[in-house]
Amino acid sequence: MAIKNNLIKTETFKEQFLVPSYYKNFSCKGTQCRNTCCSGWKVTIPMNEYFTLHGLSCNKSLREKIDRAFRPLHNPSPERYAEITHNHKGNCPLLLDNGYCELHAKCTEEVLPSVCRYYPRGPKFDYAFESSCTNSCEKTLELLFEEEVPISFEKKELTFKLNKTSNSVSNDDRALYHTLRETCFRILSDRTHKLTDRIMMIGKLLSQLDKDKSLPITSIDFSIPLFEININQSLIALINASEWFIENSPSISLLCMEAKQYYSIGELESQYKLALSHFESAFPTHEIMFEKMLVNSLFFRQFPFQDFSANFYEEFISLCGMYAFTRYLSLPIMFGKHQLESFIDLMSKAYRVISHTRFERTILALLKSEEIREYDSLGVFIQL
Ligand code: SF4
């Protein structure tokens, strides 16, 4: 397959970026990290970065390690050209025993692929200059859970060297991006409503804007009906959806199997109630924790604009799927556990898939195959 390299250009951005308030407090835990980001998951790099590494002047031993560490994909694109392959321990071959990166230690930071240089930060520059840290990093989750106040945002001057792609954004779309996201985060952080109602309010907002993007937000009726609770129906849909991740997602297949196993040892609803009761007593602020993970994840992923072609309502279906899926994993896997560290380990693993794969497309397709797509069925589905 012929690939044109001229689709990607690297550019340095020194700008005022919008960042979450915890951002300034982030520092990597390095060797203290329980789930280092160099371990256990597929990471891809773009073509220009692959060839920079390929042409790097270095000694023979590092050269061999680089060649082993980065392998072109079967169906490469300029943006996703090669993947990091792991050694028998599941680590990046360039990870040293002391926890540092050999490429970083022996060459300049400049040669690191941007994913390694900036992770867990996710700088964005197309709709707006924004940066935040992904929930897949345990330090990010620790910062999120350190305090209970809702996530706020502030401006900070930052410099990033980034790959500029050919996507272009109109001024109208940029204006909508700002208004819509500000409204979504305000709704999600409004604790006068329970979290599931806040999610359903986002659904009202997005479905109305799909019909008319110029509709004033103040004209939207945000009242939420009382949804029926049907735990069996929600869990069966999630167990079915989790089969796909068991088959196709090595990062979380074991977690999905563990959740499924828990639900298989008794009657579904009783197992759920048992796990919920434990979870609520072990983590009394769980609703706040889920709220903050949602806001942080949606900010990171440019929700609901992360897919340049999707409609907003489909992004809402994916949001419901993301929330329900994280609840589905949390209750059984945290059963009997009380440590916040265990919950952080679980969620950081789940968010490796949620934040860094096409999770939103996958969960959308899986929910549609379960006939969960209409507003009312989603309202019932997320009552977990
Ligand atoms: S997951 Fe976060 S804290 Fe851990 S090594 Fe990576 S960046 Fe550092």
Side-chain angles (χ1 to χ4, degrees):
M1 179 183 171
I3 303 280
K4 286 188 189 156
N5 196 15
N6 61 2
L7 287 176
I8 294 187
K9 289 195 177 72
T10 303
E11 203 173 308
T12 301
F13 295 92
K14 183 177 182 185
E15 297 285 345
Q16 291 289 326
F17 281 72
L18 188 68
V19 299
S21 51
Y22 67 76
Y23 190 90
K24 56 183 172 297
N25 298 325
F26 177 81
S27 63
C28 172
K29 295 171 71 177
T31 52
Q32 303 301 309
C33 184
R34 298 184 298 280
N35 299 288
T36 172
C37 45
C38 300
S39 183
W41 58 344
K42 294 274 181 212
V43 175
T44 59
I45 62 171
M47 183 165 58
N48 60 336
E49 295 184 348
Y50 174 78
F51 284 110
T52 298
L53 291 166
H54 207 63
L56 194 66
S57 161
C58 58
N59 65 35
K60 190 164 172 259
S61 133
L62 182 57
R63 169 84 272 136
E64 282 175 6
K65 279 194 193 167
I66 292 172
D67 290 345
R68 272 204 304 277
F70 300 96
R71 177 176 61 188
L73 293 162
H74 285 303
N75 294 301
S77 66
E79 291 83 7
R80 294 180 78 256
Y81 187 79
E83 65 183 356
I84 296 179
T85 55
H86 296 95
N87 61 20
H88 65 286
K89 294 182 191 160
N91 293 335
C92 172
L94 292 158
L95 180 67
L96 296 169
D97 289 341
N98 62 9
Y100 291 102
C101 167
E102 188 168 352
L103 196 54
H104 195 179
K106 293 196 174 149
C107 305
T108 62
E109 191 192 58
E110 287 285 294
V111 305
L112 291 180
S114 49
V115 65
C116 306
R117 195 176 335 144
Y118 296 133
Y119 183 90
R121 299 166 189 86
K124 307 286 187 312
F125 57 86
D126 39 21
Y127 286 98
F129 288 105
E130 295 176 340
S131 188
S132 58
C133 297
T134 162
N135 289 347
S136 59
C137 162
E138 67 185 51
K139 176 68 181 186
T140 305
L141 293 179
E142 285 171 13
L143 289 170
L144 285 186
F145 300 156
E146 214 169 66
E147 48 182 27
E148 291 180 15
V149 290
I151 296 180
S152 59
F153 298 91
E154 61 200 25
K155 289 278 175 88
K156 185 170 171 55
E157 187 178 283
L158 300 169
T159 305
F160 291 105
K161 198 170 158 190
L162 297 168
N163 290 318
K164 203 165 174 26
T165 61
S166 48
N167 290 325
S168 68
V169 175
S170 71
N171 286 341
D172 283 353
D173 280 350
R174 200 165 274 130
L176 183 61
Y177 179 88
H178 283 288
T179 311
L180 191 44
R181 278 163 61 82
E182 192 273 327
T183 307
C184 286
F185 300 138
R186 185 166 38 77
I187 290 173
L188 276 178
S189 302
D190 178 1
R191 295 179 188 164
T192 58
H193 303 277
K194 64 177 182 167
L195 185 55
T196 46
D197 282 356
R198 289 178 245 162
I199 294 170
M200 296 311 292
M201 288 162 86
I202 303 274
K204 287 214 156 177
L205 172 70
L206 297 185
S207 59
Q208 291 299 310
L209 287 178
D210 264 340
K211 289 180 200 142
D212 176 4
K213 292 207 169 34
S214 62
L215 191 71
I217 286 171
T218 47
S219 70
I220 296 173
D221 171 16
F222 283 107
S223 57
I224 300 297
L226 192 61
F227 291 103
E228 171 203 346
I229 296 180
N230 189 332
I231 295 301
N232 278 334
Q233 187 182 298
S234 299
L235 287 177
I236 288 168
L238 284 159
I239 289 168
N240 291 342
S242 78
E243 294 290 354
W244 189 92
F245 294 99
I246 290 172
E247 289 292 316
N248 298 289
S249 195
S251 310
I252 55 165
S253 59
L254 285 178
L255 298 175
C256 291
M257 279 193 256
E258 192 178 336
K260 188 180 164 191
Q261 164 70 15
Y262 172 86
Y263 285 116
S264 71
I265 55 181
E267 194 264 325
L268 265 186
E269 196 160 341
S270 326
Q271 286 294 98
Y272 165 81
K273 284 184 177 157
L274 203 59
L276 179 67
S277 155
H278 171 77
F279 192 70
E280 287 180 333
S281 81
F283 304 100
T285 59
H286 63 98
E287 185 163 281
I288 292 176
M289 289 154 68
F290 276 94
E291 166 205 306
K292 295 185 85 168
M293 288 192 290
L294 275 186
V295 171
N296 195 48
S297 175
L298 298 187
F299 185 82
F300 184 86
R301 304 189 65 183
Q302 298 187 292
F303 175 88
F305 290 76
Q306 63 260 48
D307 189 330
F308 278 73
S309 57
N311 71 38
F312 288 150
Y313 187 74
E314 292 203 335
E315 300 295 346
F316 165 65
I317 299 176
S318 300
L319 163 62
C320 292
M322 175 172 93
Y323 171 75
F325 185 68
T326 50
R327 295 283 296 181
Y328 167 75
L329 290 181
S330 298
L331 301 187
I333 294 177
M334 292 307 297
F335 186 56
K337 299 179 189 152
H338 294 84
Q339 294 86 1
L340 184 58
E341 271 186 5
S342 306
F343 183 59
I344 287 176
D345 289 349
L346 169 61
M347 286 294 101
S348 62
K349 284 194 187 111
Y351 272 96
R352 285 185 173 195
V353 171
I354 294 170
S355 295
H356 307 287
T357 69
R358 301 276 292 162
F359 177 86
E360 76 277 7
R361 296 286 101 191
T362 305
I363 200 75
L364 173 66
L366 293 169
L367 291 186
K368 282 183 174 177
S369 72
E370 294 292 319
E371 302 288 333
I372 299 175
R373 67 177 90 188
E374 302 305 328
Y375 186 81
D376 288 344
S377 59
L378 287 159
V380 175
F381 172 64
I382 63 169
Q383 307 298 319
L384 281 171

